Amino acid sequence: MVCYAKFHRPFGILALAYCTLVGNQAFAADSESYAHSDSNKRYLHHIDLYDVNNRKITADSDQPYSTLKTCGRCHDYATISHGWHFNAFTSDARRRAETGEAEATASDGRPGEPWIWTDARTGTQLPLSYRDWLGRFNPTDIGLSTFEMTRQFGARIPGGNMATPAKEASKDEKDDGVQEDDANDDSSRWALTGSLEIDCMACHATSGVYDFEVRRETIEAENFAWAPTAALRLGDVAGSVSRIKTGSDPSDETVQAKLPKVKYRAQNFAPDGTVFFDLVREPENNACYQCHSQRTVTEDGLEPRWIHDEDVHLRAGMNCVDCHRNGIDHQTVRGFPGEQHPSGNVATTLSCAGCHLGIEREDDSVASISSRPGRLGSPLPKHEGLPPIHFEKLTCTACHGGPAPDQEADGILTSLSHGLGQKLHRSGQELPSIRGPLFARSQAWAPLASDESKHANEAPITTARAMWPAYWGSVKDGVVSPLSPEAVYSATRKALRVRKDFVAEVSEKGRETFNEKVSAALAAIEKEFSVDRAVYVSTGTAYGRGEQDDSLTEVEVKNVDAIEMVQWPMAHNVRPAGWALGATGCLECHVDDGLIFASTVTPTGPAPVVASPIAMSSIQQISDDERSQWNQLFAGRAMFKLMTAASLAMMAIALLGTFIASNRPASKESL
């Protein structure tokens, strides 16, 4: 019987796939020690399966297969584990700075979509990230364990370093008062659930082989170690760790009897005991869609799929991995301007501009062939009549990316935040409330000068999505900090008396009901957490208890970025050139109602507040006077061109007349 405590407890977040492998002779080796086919053809995988204790699995086994012990026999798991997707619960920049691999100014790259912790019962939509990105909260800082994060978001991560237990306290730390997890600590459940190892087949299985929904259900049952086996339908998993009491001893025979068991399907095993893994070297689009899809929501609800066109690149027959590619290190190219790939390889030509326009050289030397425009057969944009300053002030996606914009930003559902792919009845109004497309300044991600605010209004405009945080927190010395959403639910359950939906059962009942229940919940939080001032944040406002019973008051905070809009860029779907902003001419943007400046976004959240729309020019920090002056210049531009053309024509006629007169033969009378 497997005791997962033996496997998990000694390992840290990064130790599982790195330190252990380095110290284990069976698996420690660099990439050169692994054989590879070096061919473009698919390599057929008829392989033996092994469990977490490195025992060969047969059709009669009842333990799940381990990707570490199975795939890791032939592939460099240690190197793979440093990949971008496998470290979503860590900051690579912080790790490199702490280990001396890079300077302290190392960056986690362009900000991406946060992990939004959503709890409809408490009206919570809390943006989280372990990476140092503006507007996100570090889960560790608010008391969320890696286990809680894995349980909440495990269905949308491919496993890896982030989905493993935290490091066990050393003897010295215990002597200094740092105690091991007690029976009431969720992190002690790792010994029961097992680690959510890197699931190679989540990306590399051919379409139709891997069942993402079964994987989600398995992870929700806290059967982390069983997820790869269940998703490939190698067998049926019976039992649920979620039903085992926290603090149970996994070495106890009674507890072991309750752990999930696998009943393998004998037909999956060949006579020699091997199993065929139907996989591809380059992941197919269907695997990417599991986490990278979005739907637009208008006033009429979810927009029908049939009215949408695919990304222009997909229509041309390309795949996601044609641009977002990687090597054995699995450091996926993200494709944003200025990206510095960790491998040291140049990825510039895999960005929009790099692929279509090539790499400009500072000197006059001839660019290498691989730096020229037209990679993957991409067309060279003409941009006829477009002043070069646009390439400094705008990103490519500002004009070409995202859903076609309208006067007001629509709602957006995403795979990561709304579980797209899971079969549900969606109205489009589910939390978290995300809006887009927005036209906002690109957030700084590379190290800037000491005065970062000085550069804020100089960053190029890009297409983005945004949301306004909603959470329960405490205020100390004017600084608001979120509280653990799990702990908040326990503390406010009786005060709020919400069964399923905070919005439907509190906010939509009117402001009086909202004030009464939120005030009672804040009082409960102040008592439970022993804080002087508890607040509920929503739609850019922090609400605290008022002087009168059942009343609320707005609370000012010093760290306004903790309650204001959180944004992240969006690129896809890329629209064809004819649907780009400005395709019809200058006056598509440089007029009073030009969408890139005049369209609006309205802050939304669980609170019953009707916020004022915010113009894109305001988000871009462009004053109305400045924009008006520009628009006036362009308003008369067409007439100016006509007048100039007419003047030139008249001058030409006059010059022609003068020329003819001066070259006319003299008449006899004049002689």
Side-chain angles (χ1 to χ4, degrees):
M1 194 65 65
V2 175
C3 175
Y4 283 95
K6 294 180 181 178
F7 178 62
H8 298 292
R9 297 188 66 81
F11 299 97
I13 292 179
L14 295 178
L16 172 67
Y18 182 71
C19 297
T20 303
L21 288 172
V22 171
N24 188 326
Q25 294 183 355
F27 295 94
D30 58 26
S31 296
E32 296 301 320
S33 300
Y34 292 86
H36 22 80
S37 67
D38 297 320
S39 172
N40 290 335
K41 77 173 184 65
R42 290 174 57 187
Y43 184 85
L44 294 182
H45 285 67
H46 294 275
I47 60 177
D48 291 318
L49 304 183
Y50 292 85
D51 67 18
V52 72
N53 289 321
N54 209 26
R55 295 179 302 198
K56 183 177 178 180
I57 290 176
T58 67
D60 297 324
S61 300
D62 63 1
Q63 296 303 307
Y65 93 94
S66 163
T67 57
L68 171 63
K69 301 298 183 179
T70 300
C71 304
R73 303 181 92 80
C74 299
H75 301 278
D76 192 353
Y77 194 102
T79 298
I80 293 170
S81 68
H82 290 294
W84 174 262
H85 289 91
F86 312 134
N87 290 277
F89 288 1
T90 59
S91 169
D92 189 55
R94 289 185 183 181
R95 178 188 63 79
R96 285 186 289 157
E98 291 172 357
T99 57
E101 296 179 45
E103 298 179 0
T105 52
S107 167
D108 280 316
R110 187 180 68 173
E113 182 174 357
W115 297 106
I116 306 177
W117 187 291
T118 305
D119 190 339
R121 302 168 300 180
T122 58
T124 297
Q125 49 183 39
L126 180 62
L128 304 169
S129 179
Y130 291 91
R131 292 168 176 147
D132 193 17
W133 292 337
L134 183 65
R136 285 78 164 165
F137 301 97
N138 191 305
T140 304
D141 295 341
I142 61 179
L144 286 171
S145 67
T146 307
F147 178 85
E148 290 174 304
M149 290 291 289
T150 303
R151 182 174 57 189
Q152 183 81 355
F153 301 108
R156 303 292 163 172
I157 57 178
N161 294 335
M162 66 278 200
T164 57
K167 182 180 179 182
E168 184 184 49
S170 67
K171 182 180 183 303
D172 292 337
E173 290 173 328
K174 295 173 188 176
D175 293 340
D176 291 337
V178 178
Q179 301 297 321
E180 290 188 71
D181 300 324
D182 59 35
N184 295 320
D185 192 339
D186 275 346
S187 60
S188 66
R189 297 187 64 78
W190 283 115
L192 301 170
T193 65
S195 290
L196 192 60
E197 297 175 347
I198 295 174
D199 193 349
C200 310
M201 295 296 282
C203 296
H204 291 284
T206 56
S207 295
V209 170
Y210 193 93
D211 195 327
F212 288 102
E213 293 312 296
V214 170
R215 181 177 190 268
R216 175 186 57 76
E217 294 168 358
T218 305
I219 293 173
E220 288 178 351
E222 296 185 13
N223 299 344
F224 298 165
W226 289 262
T229 302
L232 278 178
R233 292 187 174 272
L234 296 174
D236 299 314
V237 177
S240 173
V241 174
S242 63
R243 297 184 178 183
I244 301 177
K245 185 178 179 181
T246 299
S248 298
D249 183 0
S251 63
D252 184 277
E253 292 185 0
T254 304
V255 176
Q256 288 191 2
K258 296 179 181 179
L259 287 173
K261 304 294 186 298
V262 181
K263 183 176 177 55
Y264 283 97
R265 299 175 182 177
Q267 64 268 27
N268 290 327
F269 291 81
D272 62 356
T274 60
V275 176
F276 174 57
F277 272 24
D278 192 4
L279 56 81
V280 290
R281 178 183 291 107
E282 296 181 349
E284 299 176 350
N285 292 347
N286 190 64
C288 304
Y289 294 154
Q290 172 68 9
C291 298
H292 301 284
S293 295
Q294 71 176 34
R295 296 291 304 277
T296 302
V297 183
T298 66
E299 294 180 353
D300 299 324
L302 280 168
E303 281 195 343
R305 293 177 57 85
W306 66 270
I307 69 173
H308 287 283
D309 292 334
E310 279 187 314
D311 185 289
V312 67
H313 299 91
L314 299 181
R315 292 295 299 170
M318 294 180 65
N319 295 315
C320 304
V321 295
D322 288 334
C323 298
H324 302 289
R325 56 181 69 178
N326 59 266
I328 188 62
D329 60 2
H330 283 64
Q331 290 285 1
T332 304
V333 172
R334 299 177 64 201
F336 57 84
E339 179 177 10
Q340 298 175 355
H341 198 266
S343 67
N345 294 313
V346 177
T348 308
T349 56
L350 292 174
S351 66
C352 303
C355 190
H356 288 272
L357 300 175
I359 302 176
E360 294 184 4
R361 302 181 66 88
E362 296 181 359
D363 53 27
D364 295 329
S365 60
V366 178
S368 63
I369 293 177
S370 60
S371 299
R372 298 174 188 172
R375 186 167 190 172
L376 298 173
S378 59
L380 180 65
K382 296 181 179 179
H383 291 130
E384 293 179 345
L386 188 68
I389 193 173
H390 287 75
F391 302 113
E392 300 175 13
K393 300 294 184 180
L394 303 168
T395 65
C396 299
T397 54
C399 301
H400 294 275
D406 207 339
Q407 293 294 335
E408 170 73 18
D410 291 319
I412 290 179
L413 303 184
T414 73
S415 291
L416 289 184
S417 299
H418 300 93
L420 300 185
Q422 181 181 357
K423 191 174 182 180
L424 295 172
H425 294 285
R426 295 182 178 85
S427 66
Q429 303 305 313
E430 292 82 6
L431 297 179
S433 179
I434 300 175
R435 314 299 293 179
L438 276 66
F439 298 100
R441 297 283 180 184
S442 300
Q443 289 184 334
W445 57 266
L448 295 175
S450 56
D451 184 8
E452 187 172 314
S453 61
K454 167 176 157 183
H455 301 265
N457 60 357
E458 298 177 5
I461 296 172
T462 192
T463 315
R465 290 167 286 198
M467 54 89 68
W468 277 259
Y471 58 87
W472 303 80
S474 63
V475 175
K476 183 177 182 180
D477 298 329
V479 176
V480 61
S481 302
L483 297 170
S484 169
E486 292 282 75
V488 163
Y489 172 70
S490 298
T492 62
R493 185 167 54 89
K494 293 182 179 179
L496 288 177
R497 300 189 300 278
V498 173
R499 294 183 58 195
K500 292 183 178 180
D501 191 341
F502 178 90
V503 174
E505 299 173 47
V506 176
S507 296
E508 292 182 356
K509 298 294 184 181
R511 190 58 186 262
E512 184 177 343
T513 300
F514 175 80
N515 290 355
E516 174 190 346
K517 291 199 172 187
V518 171
S519 178
L522 293 174
I525 289 175
E526 291 171 352
K527 179 180 179 181
E528 178 70 20
F529 292 89
S530 299
V531 296
D532 295 330
R533 184 71 155 179
V535 294
Y536 176 61
V537 173
S538 178
T539 327
T541 303
Y543 299 95
R545 287 200 297 152
E547 295 181 358
Q548 299 179 353
D549 292 340
D550 300 335
S551 67
L552 297 176
T553 184
E554 295 186 8
V555 178
E556 293 187 4
V557 298
K558 295 178 181 178
N559 55 333
V560 292
D561 59 315
I563 67 174
E564 292 184 341
M565 182 183 80
V566 177
Q567 71 174 68
W568 61 97
M570 65 187 304
H572 302 286
N573 289 339
V574 175
R575 305 189 302 274
W579 284 20
L581 286 180
T584 60
C586 304
L587 294 182
E588 186 170 345
C589 296
H590 295 291
V591 288
D592 290 342
D593 59 352
L595 295 178
I596 195 169
F597 302 115
S599 61
T600 61
V601 60
T602 301
T604 56
V609 176
V610 180
S612 300
I614 303 173
M616 299 301 161
S617 58
S618 176
I619 296 175
Q620 300 157 9
Q621 303 177 43
I622 298 176
S623 68
D624 291 338
D625 291 340
E626 181 182 357
R627 195 166 72 89
S628 178
Q629 292 172 5
W630 270 98
N631 291 345
Q632 289 175 11
L633 291 175
F634 282 92
R637 191 174 181 183
M639 182 60 67
F640 176 77
K641 288 181 177 179
L642 290 174
M643 292 177 63
T644 301
S647 298
L648 291 174
M650 293 177 66
M651 289 177 61
I653 293 173
L655 290 172
L656 180 62
T658 302
F659 175 79
I660 293 175
S662 63
N663 289 279
R664 180 182 298 169
S667 62
K668 293 182 178 181
E669 290 80 0
S670 63
L671 294 174

